[in-house]
């Protein structure tokens, strides 16, 4: 049985004080829900402060990126070792990293490997652009992203994948539950081909792109969708708690 998983990607939002305030507001609500894995991913500079606040609780912490080298002359970068002390998860290959910072296959695969080496769990993001979707190329694009991002990775156990169609991110235009379920089912089949059926059955695959408390049930009620990677709506405590709560309710009914 795959435990439902909801992660909040705060992106480049919140100062340290704002991050502390936001997590203090959502934490009591999150702690009441134990049947869902809950992760918040604030900016790097707030990880230490948020870690203190949620210490010993069931809410976990993630980073939004990392560099693959352990240490050295890489001005401005953050290494896997630095993060391993602070958090349990790390988002890798987010479409904004691909789009604005030129990240692609090989770099992403190195980042996934670097995270796994220090026992950080990668949340690997894949997803197609609008024009690729309209040209009917979604499967081809997603399959290629998976193949290149996972090249050289023998152990995919524990990895989390987020399917985030780029046209649905931050646009308010979410995919439909059926569309997302279909592509996520395809991702699971691809994992079977790359690894094994048992790994594919255990791996958690999330939907991301304009998820909020008003539309989350549409996604979560789909059999292939194990949770959500939430951007904008994770910056509001009541929204994020509402998303986690509805996920717990729906997944307990559909078990
Ligand atoms: P959004 O972002 O929920 O604001 O669309 C999702 C994401 O980029 O992870």
């Amino acid at each position: 049985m795959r435990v439902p998983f909801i992660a909040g990607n705060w992106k480049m939002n919140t100062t340290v004080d704002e991050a502390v305030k936001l997590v203090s507001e959502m934490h009591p609500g999150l702690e009441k829900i134990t049947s869902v894995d809950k992760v918040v991913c604030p900016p790097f500079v707030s990880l230490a402060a948020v870690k203190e606040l949620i210490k010993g609780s069931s809410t976990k912490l993630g980073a939004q990126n990392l560099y693959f080298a352990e240490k050295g002359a890489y001005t401005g970068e953050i290494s896997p070792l630095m993060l391993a002390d602070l958090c349990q998860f790390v988002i890798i290959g987010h479409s904004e990293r691909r789009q604005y910072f030129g990240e692609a296959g090989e770099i992403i695969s190195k980042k996934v490997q670097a995270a796994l080496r220090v026992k950080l769990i990668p949340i690997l993001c894949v997803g197609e652009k609008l024009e690729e979707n309209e040209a009917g190329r979604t499967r081809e694009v997603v399959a290629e992203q998976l193949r290149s991002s996972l090249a050289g990775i023998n152990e995919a156990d524990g990895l989390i994948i987020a399917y985030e169609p780029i046209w649905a991110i931050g646009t308010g235009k979410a995919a439909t539950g059926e569309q997302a379920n279909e592509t996520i089912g395809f991702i699971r089949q691809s994992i079977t081909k790359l690894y094994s059926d048992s790994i594919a059955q255990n791996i958690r695959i999330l939907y991301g792109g304009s998820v909020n408390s008003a539309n989350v049930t549409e996604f979560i009620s789909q059999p292939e969708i194990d949770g959500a990677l939430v951007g904008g709506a994770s910056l509001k405590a009541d929204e994020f708690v509402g998303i986690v709560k509805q996920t717990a309710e729906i997944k307990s009914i559909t078990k």
Side-chain angles (χ1 to χ4, degrees), residues 143-216:
E144 173 51 26
Q145 287 174 340
L146 286 172
R147 193 204 54 74
S148 59
S149 310
L150 295 173
I153 294 154
N154 303 323
E155 294 282 326
D157 259 348
L159 183 80
I160 290 167
I161 296 176
Y163 168 58
E164 301 204 303
I166 296 174
W167 46 272
I169 297 178
T171 57
K173 185 177 179 244
T176 65
E178 269 132 57
Q179 276 173 322
N181 191 62
E182 215 242 26
T183 306
I184 289 177
F186 170 74
I187 291 173
R188 208 176 294 287
Q189 287 166 24
S190 308
I191 295 296
T192 301
K193 284 197 197 133
L194 290 169
Y195 297 97
S196 69
D197 189 48
S198 76
I199 289 185
Q201 290 313 316
N202 283 329
I203 212 162
R204 288 179 288 182
I205 312 180
L206 321 176
Y207 167 74
S210 296
V211 173
N212 56 44
S213 65
N215 67 13
V216 66

Side-chain angles (χ1 to χ4, degrees), residues 190-250:
S190 308
I191 295 296
T192 301
K193 284 197 197 133
L194 290 169
Y195 297 97
S196 69
D197 189 48
S198 76
I199 289 185
Q201 290 313 316
N202 283 329
I203 212 162
R204 288 179 288 182
I205 312 180
L206 321 176
Y207 167 74
S210 296
V211 173
N212 56 44
S213 65
N215 67 13
V216 66
T217 56
E218 176 176 350
F219 299 104
I220 291 303
S221 51
Q222 300 285 340
E224 294 288 353
I225 305 182
D226 302 314
L229 181 55
V230 185
S234 71
L235 293 168
K236 294 184 200 121
D238 53 345
E239 271 285 300
F240 192 62
V241 174
I243 289 168
V244 174
K245 212 172 184 175
Q246 291 183 60
T247 302
E249 282 160 11
I250 300 275

Side-chain angles (χ1 to χ4, degrees), residues 70-110:
E70 235 171 59
K71 61 179 176 177
Y74 301 101
T75 302
E77 291 298 322
I78 303 286
S79 90
L81 278 180
M82 296 169 188
L83 292 177
D85 271 355
L86 284 171
C87 58
Q88 295 85 17
F89 296 88
V90 58
I91 299 172
I92 297 179
H94 190 278
S95 66
E96 286 148 18
R97 302 285 327 162
R98 295 176 191 259
Q99 193 182 343
Y100 305 132
F101 304 98
E103 290 189 15
E106 198 191 336
I107 290 181
I108 295 171
S109 139
K110 282 185 174 170

